[in-house]
Amino acid sequence: MGETQKIEIENFDFTGLILKEPKEKSVGLPAIISSVKQAAKYMDPIDAFKLSLKINQKGGFDCPGCAWPDPDDDRSALGEYCENGMKAIAEEATKMSVTRDFFVKNSVAEISKFADFKMGKLGRLTEPMVLREGATHYEPVSWEDAFKLIAKELNALDSPDEAIFYTSGRTSNEAAYLYQLFIRAYGTNNLPDCSNMCHESSGVALSHTVGIGKGSVTLNDLHEAEVIMIMGQNPGTNHPRMLAALEKCKNNGGKIITVNPLPEAGLLNFTDPQSPVKMMKGGTSLTDIFAPVKVNGDVAFLKAIMLKLSTLEDANARNVLDWEFIKEHTHGFEDFLAELKKEDLAHCIADSGVPETIIDKVTHLMAQNEKIIICWAMGLTQQKNGVGNIQEVVNLLLMRGAIGKPGAGTCPVRGHSNVQGDRTMGIWEAPKDTFLDKLEEHHGITAPREHGYHVVSAIEAMKSGKGKVFFAMGGNFLSATPDTQYTAEALQNTNLTVQVSTKLNRSHLITGKQALILPCLGRTDKDIQSSGEQFVSCENSMGVVQSSQGILSPPSKHLKSEVSIVAEIASATLRNTNIDWTGMAGNYDKIRDAIQATISGFDDYNSRVRESGGFYLPNGARVRKWNTTTGKAHFTINTIPHNELKDGEYIMMTLRSHDQYNTTLYGLDDRYRGIFSERRIVMMNVNDMKARGWREKQVVDLFSEFNGVKREARKFLIVPYPIPEGNVATYFPETNPLVPIDSFADRSHTPTSKLVKITIKSVN
Ligand SMILES: Nc1nc2c(c(=O)[nH]1)N[C@H]1C(S)=C(S)[C@@H](COP(=O)(O)OP(=O)(O)OC[C@H]3O[C@@H](n4cnc5c(=O)[nH]c(N)nc54)[C@H](O)[C@@H]3O)O[C@H]1N2
Ligand SMILES: Nc1nc2c(c(=O)[nH]1)N[C@H]1C(S)=C(S)[C@@H](COP(=O)(O)OP(=O)(O)OC[C@H]3O[C@@H](n4cnc5c(=O)[nH]c(N)nc54)[C@H](O)[C@@H]3O)O[C@H]1N2
Ligand SMILES: [Mo]
């Protein structure tokens, strides 16, 4: 291959860093201006207006931005939108599009020289394209030929387990159900999904301890909580509508504790964009106590609090622990307490990085209040001990009886807008036998029983030649997964890669011998099938299932819905099933009937989903029905992780900026953190900078070494930042080449994207 044919797995150019003071306030007018600018730049103004009225409204469409729930009753007439939701929509409903001419003009190698930001801004994909073996350019292909190619490759495999089917979390319940049904009828459980890299640690920990892999609270619980502790989450950027719920909690007298290595602006002060009066007054101060934990210091922090609670209990014989709850509802308390008491408080405090005065304040709030909610996201899950982190959260709640009653409970805040629904629909590499039994019974298929690959094992299977066809329902597998170089080699080792996508991304460029791009409808597009206009449904972070219906004309007449793509692949591939793929794709009610017949909680699905606001799925933990091995909630014992650092080593966490949606870059600014126009940065404590004699904007290279394998990421600029010493922060996906493929959480296999040991070398 000549130099011009080299396909780049990432882009290294600097874009011109500008630094300002980090913000202490979030949302308000600048947020509105920013979202309006984004909409004006990329969308047709009439479309933008129409969408803004329908977003997250009853009978409207589900914002593709995040999985935060909508109020059950009083939804804002202005639309339940937020700055970043509007950006997500502008990204999808863009008036720009990528036509066949673009692919004729630009080879894959040439497209790979585009920066990710520029690639995303090219617009919506418009027709199916194929990259034939040995070709340098994608060329148009008919849908029919694309489906035939997929069927041919799938049917040529020695075993269905040589095919891998990834799902990102925007896929609707209807598409997800049909997709997993096809995959199981075809014969494999190889269904890795974005959840494997996201809240898998929450699912594993919560299933084991409280018997359901989802959170237990509703939005109203947040409003009436007395204490909300937010751990490892940056809602100001990633779940902006959560701030309105926190504000309600505060107005009702609640207190908010933030546990984070970074003082994230969104949590410090909030101005509701839908309240002009408050915007004038300057907003609500949200966080009452900020605990600046060290990266991965959370178990130590939680143990320090629990130790202090148990000491309080012993000393005062006060009712600090909820004995009635512990006796009636839990299992394993004595063992847990005995182990806890062996911990040394001073060590816990030192390992957490949080001053004891702050831990005392937190303990006080925990002891004085009964309605306690703990929220968390990627700061807790993407750790080696991600499952342990969350089990400790549960321990604390169980000690206080703070689960399964109003205003209290677990709140893992989900990422992708239907990631929770996809799992409910059976997108899971480790399905329960009872679920497979139902599929067999209702659809007359033989479902495979052996568990399949999760994200990490899927990459390894492709690398070793065991995975030969890779199919992605959305997402950007190459850039979202760890160890970019390794994953690139894995994907390039396959016979065929297929991407069902709305927008162009790097996963379309790093391909198997042959590749297909199948462009699909997005959330905001109208979906018309043989029986007429369709709607789909999604489940939010709190287990509410609601309908979602797009309102815009699709950007091209060649697009298909994810449902019809799956149905047509199934029809082309499978010969021996009696499943009516065409009928289901023609009328999504039929898919919902099948869901109702096979998944519990969906009784009267077709009528209840049509009710305004949708319906809640059953949730055992919410009503103190523990679906665990003992029928009780489990206390667990989790060790404190130790991350010894040699001289010159740092622990790196990889984060989202304010201007991105995972691998999609809305822009190059991280407004709240005061970092503008650049993403190749490393946030570092000034004392660490001084110790190395480094200045602001110093150019550095980053290295990691794990199990004897060295990895590198070149060209980053140092940004002085209020972050604990020994910790640094960078943006995802730029530093994914440093995340080792074999460094993942125990039991959940989630890559340790927030715990990467690195060294840093200055370039000049
Ligand atoms: N606008 C926008 N919205 C999004 C997304 C997006 O990219 N853009 N992504 C969506 C998805 S898929 C997800 S999963 C969510 C992600 O939502 P978040 O989890 O909020 O996203 P991250 O940027 O990964 O931020 C993690 C936070 O954890 C903190 N942290 C890191 N390490 C630790 C630690 O060891 N302990 C503690 N206590 N804190 C730590 C970081 O400082 C940071 O504040 O957002 C969803 N919503
Ligand atoms: N280092 C590091 N790595 C991480 C993380 C981290 O914090 N640090 N976070 C992890 C997390 S939490 C997650 S969830 C994953 C995300 O991993 P993915 O879900 O795989 O990645 P996204 O960037 O969300 O995918 C974006 C692409 O999805 C496609 N798309 C958008 N909407 C639709 C749609 O409606 N249908 C279809 N078919 N396609 C659509 C577009 O083509 C777009 O380019 O990344 C993980 N990777
Ligand atoms: Mo996520």
Side-chain angles (χ1 to χ4, degrees):
M1 248 191 235
E3 193 47 38
T4 49
Q5 286 308 315
K6 186 166 179 290
I7 300 170
E8 306 289 347
I9 63 166
E10 56 170 340
N11 189 284
F12 291 104
D13 291 340
F14 285 137
T15 43
L17 173 61
I18 300 166
L19 293 177
K20 298 184 186 166
E21 280 297 303
K23 290 264 181 307
E24 289 188 359
K25 279 186 183 176
S26 71
V27 196
L29 208 50
I32 293 186
I33 293 169
S34 159
S35 68
V36 169
K37 263 196 203 156
Q38 196 84 1
K41 207 158 152 191
Y42 301 109
M43 282 160 75
D44 178 271
I46 297 173
D47 286 353
F49 180 68
K50 280 202 265 181
L51 287 170
S52 70
L53 294 179
K54 281 284 185 186
I55 182 167
N56 289 327
Q57 291 301 300
K58 293 174 181 172
F61 69 95
D62 185 46
C63 175
C66 73
W68 189 253
D70 312 306
D72 287 337
D73 36 32
D74 55 340
R75 295 194 191 171
S76 160
L78 273 173
E80 278 289 328
Y81 75 89
C82 71
E83 173 192 5
N84 277 347
M86 208 57 211
K87 288 186 196 162
I89 287 160
E91 198 67 28
E92 182 177 294
T94 169
K95 53 189 178 210
M96 305 285 290
S97 59
V98 186
T99 58
R100 58 168 68 185
D101 299 346
F102 173 80
F103 291 102
V104 171
K105 260 193 225 134
N106 297 284
S107 70
V108 173
E110 281 157 352
I111 304 172
S112 79
K113 309 249 171 344
F114 283 44
D116 289 348
F117 174 57
K118 193 172 156 198
M119 211 185 298
K121 292 289 177 254
L122 293 170
R124 287 284 294 276
L125 292 160
T126 48
E127 64 179 310
M129 305 296 297
V130 64
L131 183 67
R132 304 213 184 264
E133 189 164 355
T136 53
H137 291 66
Y138 271 100
E139 57 188 87
V141 62
S142 69
W143 279 105
E144 199 187 343
D145 287 346
F147 296 141
K148 274 191 196 151
L149 174 61
I150 296 169
K152 185 178 128 230
E153 290 296 332
L154 288 177
N155 287 326
L157 297 177
D158 288 337
S159 150
D161 290 333
E162 291 178 347
I164 293 163
F165 298 89
Y166 175 70
T167 316
S168 171
R170 279 196 189 173
T171 296
S172 65
N173 281 358
E174 290 75 3
Y177 182 83
L178 210 63
Y179 183 51
Q180 65 80 33
L181 179 62
F182 156 62
I183 295 163
R184 295 195 163 110
Y186 167 68
T188 183
N189 282 316
N190 286 340
L191 284 138
D193 68 350
C194 70
S195 191
N196 295 150
M197 299 182 269
C198 185
H199 266 294
E200 197 70 58
S201 304
S202 309
V204 171
L206 292 173
S207 300
H208 174 64
T209 53
V210 296
I212 180 166
K214 308 177 181 181
S216 74
V217 300
T218 65
L219 202 49
N220 286 336
D221 289 326
L222 277 144
H223 298 161
E224 63 176 281
E226 291 160 342
V227 177
I228 299 179
M229 182 151 88
I230 299 157
M231 305 186 71
Q233 195 202 343
N234 180 19
T237 288
N238 298 312
H239 307 91
R241 288 183 307 126
M242 176 173 171
L243 302 186
L246 297 178
E247 192 185 29
K248 267 200 181 163
C249 167
K250 292 228 53 174
N251 291 343
N252 293 339
K255 296 274 188 239
I256 290 171
I257 306 164
T258 293
V259 185
N260 200 308
L262 303 182
E264 303 284 26
L267 280 169
L268 301 180
N269 187 300
F270 166 63
T271 313
D272 190 338
Q274 304 189 353
S275 164
V277 179
K278 282 202 206 107
M279 269 183 1
M280 308 286 287
K281 284 197 193 149
T284 312
S285 166
L286 287 180
T287 294
D288 296 282
I289 305 176
F290 172 56
V293 72
K294 280 201 271 204
V295 172
N296 203 23
D298 301 272
V299 170
F301 172 75
L302 289 163
K303 279 200 196 284
I305 295 164
M306 293 189 290
L307 266 173
K308 281 181 181 275
L309 285 176
S310 84
T311 311
L312 266 183
E313 176 79 25
D314 293 347
N316 307 346
R318 287 184 31 215
N319 239 359
V320 176
L321 304 189
D322 186 337
W323 288 108
E324 214 175 294
F325 175 85
I326 292 171
K327 276 190 197 121
E328 190 183 336
H329 287 286
T330 72
H331 172 86
F333 179 68
E334 283 76 22
D335 292 347
F336 156 79
L337 192 65
E339 284 299 314
L340 179 66
K341 286 187 169 172
K342 287 185 200 157
E343 299 288 357
D344 179 71
L345 179 64
H347 280 150
C348 289
I349 294 170
D351 284 350
S352 76
V354 181
E356 185 164 12
T357 46
I358 293 181
I359 291 183
D360 282 335
K361 284 189 193 160
V362 175
T363 308
H364 181 76
L365 280 187
M366 292 291 167
Q368 294 294 315
N369 295 284
E370 289 174 2
K371 293 179 171 184
I372 303 164
I373 291 177
I374 304 185
C375 303
W376 69 89
M378 297 303 101
L380 294 201
T381 63
Q382 297 174 334
Q383 304 280 357
K384 172 86 177 127
N385 62 312
V387 176
N389 270 339
I390 292 140
Q391 293 191 156
E392 288 295 299
V393 164
V394 172
N395 282 339
L396 174 55
L397 291 173
L398 292 180
M399 280 174 100
R400 296 290 295 112
I403 180 162
K405 67 180 184 189
T410 54
C411 184
V413 184
R414 300 276 162 182
H416 266 302
S417 52
N418 198 37
V419 61
Q420 187 158 314
D422 289 348
R423 191 50 74 82
T424 308
M425 293 298 113
I427 303 287
W428 195 18
E429 77 281 1
K432 294 229 163 68
D433 276 332
T434 45
F435 171 67
L436 297 176
D437 292 343
K438 286 269 189 190
L439 287 185
E440 292 194 339
E441 200 183 300
H442 187 75
H443 294 289
I445 61 167
T446 307
R449 297 288 159 157
E450 202 179 320
H451 288 175
Y453 299 130
H454 44 72
V455 162
V456 171
S457 56
I459 297 169
E460 282 167 344
M462 290 187 271
K463 186 74 172 30
S464 71
K466 278 193 242 156
K468 293 183 177 150
V469 172
F470 176 78
F471 186 103
M473 182 58 83
N476 181 359
F477 194 80
L478 171 81
S479 304
T481 52
D483 221 334
T484 317
Q485 183 62 43
Y486 187 94
T487 303
E489 289 165 17
L491 288 165
Q492 286 169 331
N493 210 16
T494 60
N495 297 336
L496 172 69
T497 46
V498 184
Q499 305 283 340
V500 179
S501 313
T502 50
K503 305 277 296 265
L504 193 61
N505 64 48
R506 222 160 266 279
S507 296
H508 302 113
L509 310 177
I510 303 297
T511 65
K513 288 193 194 76
Q514 318 161 77
L516 282 167
I517 300 176
L518 306 181
C520 66
L521 297 175
R523 273 294 157 73
T524 48
D525 300 324
K526 272 191 196 157
D527 182 354
I528 297 171
Q529 302 295 337
S530 60
S531 71
E533 196 169 334
Q534 306 294 313
F535 66 86
V536 293
S537 46
C538 296
E539 175 183 341
N540 66 32
S541 205
M542 290 171 185
V544 178
V545 178
Q546 266 192 93
S547 69
S548 173
Q549 187 162 19
I551 54 169
L552 299 184
S553 302
S556 145
K557 62 180 190 304
H558 301 296
L559 304 187
K560 284 184 185 283
S561 74
E562 292 181 349
V563 167
S564 47
I565 292 173
V566 171
E568 293 191 51
I569 294 174
S571 301
T573 309
L574 305 176
R575 293 277 161 254
N576 300 329
T577 72
N578 293 323
I579 299 168
D580 180 14
W581 302 107
T582 314
M584 288 202 275
N587 180 354
Y588 297 178
D589 278 357
K590 294 188 179 169
I591 308 178
R592 285 184 285 268
D593 286 340
I595 295 171
Q596 171 175 332
T598 49
I599 301 176
S600 63
F602 287 87
D603 313 304
D604 292 326
Y605 193 2
N606 269 311
S607 58
R608 284 198 299 159
V609 78
R610 284 177 164 84
E611 278 165 25
S612 170
F615 60 94
Y616 277 92
L617 287 175
N619 184 309
R622 193 174 284 162
V623 292
R624 297 190 169 174
K625 279 214 165 82
W626 317 103
N627 190 16
T628 59
T629 45
T630 59
K632 305 247 175 186
H634 293 171
F635 277 98
T636 55
I637 296 162
N638 309 285
T639 47
I640 299 179
H642 290 285
N643 302 297
E644 305 301 337
L645 291 179
K646 291 194 215 110
D647 204 26
E649 279 184 339
Y650 306 87
I651 288 184
M652 174 182 79
M653 50 178 176
T654 58
L655 311 173
R656 290 153 173 81
S657 82
H658 192 62
D659 252 1
Q660 73 184 84
Y661 194 90
N662 299 338
T663 69
T664 299
L665 307 183
Y666 301 143
L668 299 172
D669 299 340
D670 197 359
R671 201 175 76 239
Y672 293 159
R673 296 194 184 112
I675 302 168
F676 290 82
S677 185
E678 183 62 70
R679 294 183 49 86
R680 300 192 74 84
I681 56 97
V682 187
M683 292 171 236
M684 196 173 201
N685 185 291
V686 278
N687 294 334
D688 286 338
M689 288 172 62
K690 273 189 204 142
R692 301 288 294 264
W694 288 341
R695 56 186 160 73
E696 183 177 296
K697 301 189 185 176
Q698 178 97 28
V699 183
V700 293
D701 290 336
L702 313 180
F703 303 88
S704 70
E705 185 172 346
F706 193 79
N707 287 344
V709 179
K710 293 186 175 154
R711 295 173 175 86
E712 58 182 48
R714 302 274 176 185
K715 281 179 70 177
F716 288 81
L717 299 171
I718 298 232
V719 170
Y721 207 81
I723 182 171
E725 286 176 33
N727 292 166
V728 294
T730 56
Y731 295 131
F732 134 66
E734 280 76 1
T735 44
N736 284 38
L738 294 167
V739 185
I741 186 75
D742 47 353
S743 174
F744 46 77
D746 303 325
R747 291 162 61 201
S748 68
H749 307 102
T750 299
T752 59
S753 305
K754 299 285 187 276
L755 188 77
V756 185
K757 221 178 247 185
I758 64 162
T759 54
I760 305 179
K761 283 194 190 127
S762 110
V763 171
N764 38 24

